[in-house]
Amino acid sequence: MSWISTEASQSVSLIENGGGSEKRTAELSRSNRRTVQNLSATSLMRKRSDLKLIARVRWEFMRRMLTNLHEVLLGTKLFLLFPAVPLAVLAHRYGCPRAWVFALSLLGLIPLAERISFLTEQIAFHTGPTVGGLMNATCGNATEMIIAILAVGQRKMRIVKLSLLGSILSNLLFVLGTSLFFGGLSNLRKHQSFDRSQGDMNCILLFLALLCHTLPMILRFATEAAGGTAARSEDGSDVLVLSRASSFVMLFAYLAFLIFHLFSSRLTPPPPPPPPQREEDEDVYDDDVSDKEEEAVIGMWSAILWLITMTLLVALLSDYLVSTIQNAADSWGLSVAFIGIILLPIVGNAAEHAGAVIFAFRNKLDITLGIALGSATQIALFVVPVTVLVAWAMGIEMDLNFNLLETACLALSILVTSFTLQDGTSNYMKGLVLLLCYTVIAVCFFVSNLPSTETITTNHTLT
């Protein structure tokens, strides 16, 4: 799950309080006291806990343990999907059809990914907003990173690239498009605006990531056009060397963005308040202004132990997922590209996606952008280069050449998203256009069955 930017929480308080400067200043100071994670998609997935029966337990140790179990396992609206986790293990253990193992693993990852975000927030309550922001910056997309690293270990580079690309496209087009579309329909008579600076910063970083993805592909085409495989170094081809160098550049850019996000952005003046809304529209925030400060519900060390446990379960199900994706594709009559780019991102991050849509319903578009664009930026500038460097450390060659079709889809998606957000306003038509773009890309990968770059390279080598 992606973090919610500090600028977003500040702009939300400014939008909610379009009146006098004193009221805006008080609201801004109140928002600065909140942690970065207080307004997150995970808070929307939590269900109120009734601990009356647990309070009757006589022993303190048992009472704490039961409270932790209740908060972690039953404290989410997705707890009904937890049985899919042991069912996936049993299905794999007793040799059930591998398509079933894939489906159960995919369903089991939904609550586990949401709980990892919840536990990261609980640790952030004890460590403060800065450390919490750094944790969310590294653990926000833990599921995608684990799937990618396990796929690298099995040398399934095609699945690695498809799943990472699908996560970026899903956040840019599907999550953001759905949020703007339904948010616009539910706020037809209300002015919908957001802080342009947040969208501009994320789009600039996404264009940097696009450059790092495009140059290895162009270099490969240029090398082949110049007369076949040119000079190769001991570490691999020139494309591989460029990809690893670009990975370091992206990580440096991501680190600089974190420093700017967590420290430097606090020194910049807040954006000017939007024009005052009409009186009949002032009730749009009535339900949200009265939000209470959230508090930690479990201790820090308990949250750390649960985080380790959930991460291990995610790794186990991700291993099942990677090893059975080809069987599921053959059984369901779908291409691996469609499952990796469309199905995995939508189902795997369903909780986060739902949170972005709910915030859009409440006309809190800054938080919606923080979820969608923040997650896409995190995957493009952090998860992808880390995966390339981890593969290098494992002695496995992985480059940033995502093939022509995939790179073109990424480039067009970033361009469409940038043009959609350039004026700082939103309506349902913009969301509809993003959804239609995502639909065309989904149909494209549904009908395409192109061989991967690794297969083409192998065939040329054998010839």
Side-chain angles (χ1 to χ4, degrees):
M1 188 195 111
S2 62
W3 70 96
I4 308 301
S5 65
T6 308
E7 297 93 340
S9 62
Q10 293 175 354
S11 59
V12 166
S13 62
L14 288 172
I15 293 175
E16 291 176 349
N17 301 276
S21 58
E22 295 181 357
K23 188 176 183 180
R24 290 197 303 271
T25 303
E27 191 66 25
L28 183 59
S29 63
R30 184 170 64 92
S31 66
N32 287 335
R33 290 196 301 268
R34 298 180 179 178
T35 63
V36 179
Q37 296 78 21
N38 278 14
L39 292 174
S40 64
T42 305
S43 61
L44 300 176
M45 294 294 108
R46 287 186 57 190
K47 55 192 290 283
R48 295 182 179 180
S49 302
D50 188 4
L51 304 178
K52 294 181 180 179
L53 294 178
I54 299 179
R56 297 179 182 178
V57 177
R58 297 178 57 184
W59 298 281
E60 179 70 17
F61 174 76
M62 287 294 298
R63 189 161 58 247
R64 289 184 178 180
M65 186 174 63
L66 291 176
T67 300
N68 287 340
L69 286 172
H70 188 278
E71 292 290 350
V72 174
L73 299 181
L74 301 180
T76 173
K77 299 176 182 178
L78 302 174
F79 73 96
L80 293 176
L81 296 178
F82 270 119
V85 178
L87 288 177
V89 177
L90 292 176
H92 180 268
R93 174 67 177 81
Y94 293 101
C96 292
R98 297 176 70 82
W100 292 14
V101 179
F102 177 85
L104 290 172
S105 301
L106 196 59
L107 290 177
L109 284 176
I110 298 177
L112 290 178
E114 190 273 336
R115 289 291 85 183
I116 287 180
S117 300
F118 163 75
L119 293 169
T120 305
E121 292 179 7
Q122 294 301 304
I123 297 175
F125 282 119
H126 297 281
T127 58
T130 301
V131 177
L134 291 173
M135 287 194 61
N136 254 343
T138 53
C139 301
N141 289 285
T143 304
E144 288 87 348
M145 184 179 297
I146 292 173
I147 292 176
I149 293 176
L150 290 175
V152 166
Q154 299 183 22
R155 298 181 182 273
K156 296 183 177 181
M157 302 305 168
R158 177 70 169 165
I159 297 177
V160 176
K161 296 179 180 180
L162 290 175
S163 62
L164 295 177
L165 176 67
S167 297
I168 299 174
L169 297 180
S170 174
N171 282 286
L172 291 180
L173 299 179
F174 181 72
V175 179
L176 188 58
T178 305
S179 302
L180 298 184
F181 178 72
F182 288 105
L185 290 179
S186 62
N187 297 277
L188 281 174
R189 298 183 178 181
K190 301 179 179 67
H191 177 73
Q192 288 190 289
S193 62
F194 52 85
D195 182 16
R196 281 182 52 190
S197 61
Q198 181 185 180
D200 292 343
M201 178 62 68
N202 282 278
C203 288
I204 291 173
L205 294 173
L206 288 172
F207 276 116
L208 171 63
L210 176 61
L211 177 67
C212 295
H213 284 78
T214 305
L215 288 181
M217 181 190 67
I218 296 176
L219 180 60
R220 184 183 188 89
F221 287 155
T223 302
E224 293 177 353
T229 56
R232 292 174 178 266
S233 62
E234 296 181 358
D235 295 331
S237 67
D238 46 2
V239 175
L240 188 61
V241 174
L242 175 61
S243 299
R244 291 169 177 171
S246 299
S247 297
F248 283 111
V249 172
M250 288 191 288
L251 286 177
F252 178 78
Y254 186 72
L255 177 62
F257 174 61
L258 283 183
I259 295 175
F260 174 81
H261 165 72
L262 294 174
F263 303 102
S264 301
S265 61
R266 299 177 183 178
L267 305 178
T268 59
Q277 299 189 12
R278 295 175 300 177
E279 294 181 0
E280 57 268 23
D281 294 341
E282 291 179 355
D283 60 345
V284 62
Y285 301 110
D286 286 348
D287 296 333
D288 301 315
V289 174
S290 59
D291 289 343
K292 295 181 179 180
E293 298 280 341
E294 293 187 19
E295 297 179 354
V297 294
I298 60 176
M300 185 178 70
W301 291 110
S302 298
I304 293 175
L305 291 177
W306 276 110
L307 182 61
I308 295 174
T309 302
M310 294 295 177
T311 303
L312 293 176
L313 289 176
V314 168
L316 178 64
L317 295 189
S318 299
D319 183 58
Y320 294 165
L321 207 67
V322 172
S323 60
T324 58
I325 185 172
Q326 185 64 57
N327 303 94
D330 297 336
S331 177
W332 298 342
L334 301 174
S335 64
V336 175
F338 180 82
I339 294 179
I341 287 185
I342 304 301
L343 190 59
L344 279 180
I346 291 179
V347 179
N349 280 329
E352 182 183 24
H353 298 173
V357 176
I358 293 174
F359 279 122
F361 265 106
R362 299 180 178 180
N363 207 4
K364 288 182 175 291
L365 295 181
D366 291 284
I367 304 179
T368 297
L369 293 181
I371 295 174
L373 293 182
S375 181
T377 304
Q378 189 179 69
I379 295 172
L381 286 181
F382 179 72
V383 179
V384 172
V386 165
T387 305
V388 172
L389 298 179
V390 169
W392 186 14
M394 297 170 63
I396 300 174
E397 296 185 356
M398 177 183 173
D399 55 34
L400 292 175
N401 180 13
F402 278 33
N403 294 341
L404 180 59
L405 178 61
E406 289 85 344
T407 306
C409 291
L410 176 62
L412 295 175
S413 300
I414 295 175
L415 284 174
V416 171
T417 304
S418 301
F419 287 133
T420 302
L421 304 177
Q422 64 180 350
D423 62 349
T425 62
S426 173
N427 52 64
Y428 71 90
M429 190 62 200
K430 291 185 177 181
L432 179 61
V433 171
L434 294 179
L435 287 176
L436 292 178
C437 292
Y438 190 73
T439 302
V440 173
I441 292 177
V443 174
C444 175
F445 285 101
F446 180 80
V447 302
S448 68
N449 193 17
L450 298 176
S452 63
T453 304
E454 291 81 9
T455 303
I456 298 175
T457 305
T458 304
N459 293 337
H460 282 302
T461 304
L462 294 177
T463 304

